[in-house]
Structure formats: C-alpha cells, structure tokens
Amino acid sequence: MTDVRTVFDGIAELSVRTERLVANVLEREAETAAEAETVVFVHGNCSSSLFFQPVMLRLPVQLRALAVDLRGFGGSETLPVDATRGVRDFSDDVWSVIDALELGRVHLVGWSMGGGVVLQQLLDRSDSVASVTLISPVSPYGFGGTAADGSRLTDDDAGVGAGAANPDFVARLADGDRTDDAPTSPRTVFRSSYVAPGYSGEFEDVWVESMLTTVTGAENYPGDAVESPNWPGMAPGPRGVLNTMAPKYFDVTGIVDLPQTPPILWIHGTRDAIVGDETFFDLNTLGKAGVVPGWPGEDVAPPQPMLAQTRAVLERYANAGGSYRELALPDCGHSAHIEYPDTVAEAVVELVASSRPSA
C-alpha cells in the first residue's frame, strides 16, 4: 500500500454511472459550470486521468475540465476489452460519460492511445465535437505493422499487439512494483519512456501510482496473442488493450471524409521514445537494430513511420476542409502535459477560442 496523495487540490473525483459502466472522472469545475465549455481529457495506455491534473489546473476558470478513466484503468470499472472493435469500447464509454453528464458539444484531448480514442469519437459523432487535441497520439493506422502509406505488412499483423508487451513489465504492474530496481519496473519505464531524458518533477510518485492502476490480463492489459507464420512468430488476438490498436482492428483515417471538421491540434515531443518514426516500441525497429533476431529486412518488415503517417492524414484532413496545427516541443518526451503543462494549456485555450463561431 501507499500513502501517496494522488488527487491534487482543486480537483474533485466523481463516480459517474452510465448505461455502459461506472466511470471514475476527475473534474476541475468552471466558475460558471452551467454555461462553460467543457474540455474532456482521455488518457493513454498504462496510465489514468491523474496525469492530466497539471494541465486541468492551468486552464482558465471559464472552462470546465473533466478527465475520464478508461475501463480497466484508474478508478473506473474493470470490464473486458473487445479488441475486434478497435478502440470503440473506450470511445463508446467516454461518450456515455459525456451523455450522462449532459455536456453537449465538447473539446476532446487525447494522449497516446487516448489520441486514437478521441479520433474514433470524432469519427462516430463529429457533430458533438468542438475541437480535438492530440498529444503524442497513436498513428491513425494503429501501432505497428503498417508501411508508410498505411498498408498492412501482413494479413495477420504479425509482431503487433499484446505479444509485443514485455512480460516482466506486465508482471511488475500486477505486483504493484514501486521500485526502480529493474529496467522493466514501472518507475524506470516512466523515466526512460514517458518523459525525455533528464526530466525530473515533484509528482513522480503520483504518475507511478497512476500506472499501477492498470488492470492486467488477457481481457485488459496487454491482451492475448496468437501464433503467426510470419516474423516474429506472433500476432494480435481479439482481446485486450494493445490489440485494440492493431491495424486490422483500428483505422481512423476516415476523419478525412467527415462532413463536420472541427480544428485539430497535434502536440508531440521531439524526444518521444514511444511514438516516433522508428520507435523501439515497434518490433520492426528492434529487428532492424538486431535486438530481435531473424528480422526479414526493410522490404518485408520496415519500422512504422508513425509521425509521418499522422502528418499525412492530418494534411488530407486539412485539404478536405478541416484545419490542423502541429506543435513539436523540443526536449520533450511522450508526456507533454506533465513536461510542459503551461505550453499545453495555452495551446488548448487557443484552440478552444479558435473553434468558436465568429460573431
């Protein structure tokens, strides 16, 4: 057990019962809540809404800020994740919270996997979205297993999904490991992957507690894997968190065809270790580097150019009538909202203002 105080002063914790689940929600109330525009934050993998508190507290009091714990994370109900729906179990859950609270049109902010969730929300109900902010989002084509143009490398997405998770990291999450004794401990993974090298902050214990709320197993994180005849010998199964982002289940490039095109802000760090054009969280990158043996070569298993894919899809979105802004932060890793909370808050406020109809 731990005595770390995880909810900051100025943030309230709500339990919201919807038709889909009982969700834990953090709220920074607006000065006039009944009239305020609402910003809804959606966290990424192996985390929770706790990570958004620094940005929530920096938003002006004219805005209401809510952060939703996804199923199997934070304080929300643990329910199985059907990966064959992509991230729709998550996006439908978030919409159910928004509907239960009768929020109307909202501004969505999604981090990492949460970026994919809010793009799915945009796809499903674009008329209910006022703006979208993506923080180090998963590629619109999913995580791993695609070429630069988004085409799938194999018919079973070999090397993608739950089978790529480090089993010792998963075990340490399940055991509640708060040490920094191993490269695979959550605290060490936070330092090496969630933030840029050299980052230090006073709330590291809170971020580790957030990571440790992750429910592990075949139905949740990381999910299940199946054998594959293709290198490296495994492919995503139909269950669990990591498999939701397999390209055979996940593709949100349909945003380029939407009738409503709210403005999009894309924020990412230039030193992001998780989402990049050749990230070491991609088995094809590890194969190319000789870390995973038997790599069949660049023609068969190239690393996924995640940033280039995101940029290309957002350019198509802009060409179709939407708009987007890219904000690349130097010396920033995967978590701009805790590394540069003032910058992120200012950018979100600017986006919200730009999305309002002209007088």
Side-chain angles (χ1 to χ4, degrees), residues 37-56:
E37 294 177 89
T38 303
V39 182
V40 177
F41 294 85
V42 182
H43 66 83
N45 196 11
C46 296
S47 66
S48 73
S49 59
L50 294 174
F51 271 86
F52 287 120
Q53 294 178 99
V55 169
M56 294 169 70

Side-chain angles (χ1 to χ4, degrees), residues 57-221:
L57 289 170
R58 284 166 168 81
L59 293 179
V61 294
Q62 291 78 19
L63 293 175
R64 184 183 187 187
L66 297 171
V68 181
D69 283 337
L70 301 175
R71 60 173 63 192
F73 297 96
S76 284
E77 186 176 0
T78 297
L79 294 170
V81 177
D82 179 359
T84 66
R85 303 187 69 232
V87 295
R88 289 180 181 86
D89 275 355
F90 297 134
S91 59
D92 288 350
D93 288 349
V94 177
W95 274 130
S96 75
V97 171
I98 292 169
D99 291 341
L101 294 175
E102 299 181 341
L103 299 179
R105 286 180 84 230
V106 294
H107 301 271
L108 297 173
V109 180
W111 168 41
S112 195
M113 180 182 73
V117 173
V118 300
L119 287 178
Q120 186 64 58
Q121 289 186 256
L122 175 61
L123 261 180
D124 292 341
R125 290 173 52 177
S126 61
D127 58 341
S128 298
V129 179
S131 73
V132 174
T133 299
L134 306 171
I135 303 174
S136 295
V138 60
S139 163
Y141 296 104
F143 198 98
T146 58
D149 64 357
S151 58
R152 292 166 59 202
L153 300 176
T154 65
D155 60 4
D156 62 354
D157 296 341
V160 173
N166 186 300
D168 194 57
F169 172 65
V170 177
R172 289 173 182 272
L173 281 176
D175 291 343
D177 181 2
R178 295 173 174 83
T179 72
D180 59 1
D181 295 343
T184 51
S185 75
R187 188 178 298 273
T188 305
V189 169
F190 169 81
R191 293 173 180 172
S192 64
S193 302
Y194 281 46
V195 293
Y199 169 84
S200 64
E202 62 181 306
F203 299 116
E204 182 178 275
D205 287 346
V206 177
W207 315 143
V208 172
E209 292 304 314
S210 176
M211 295 172 72
L212 292 174
T213 66
T214 303
V215 175
T216 60
E219 300 282 1
N220 295 100
Y221 180 83

Side-chain angles (χ1 to χ4, degrees), residues 22 25 68 175 250:
V22 179
V25 178
V68 181
D175 291 343
F250 177 88

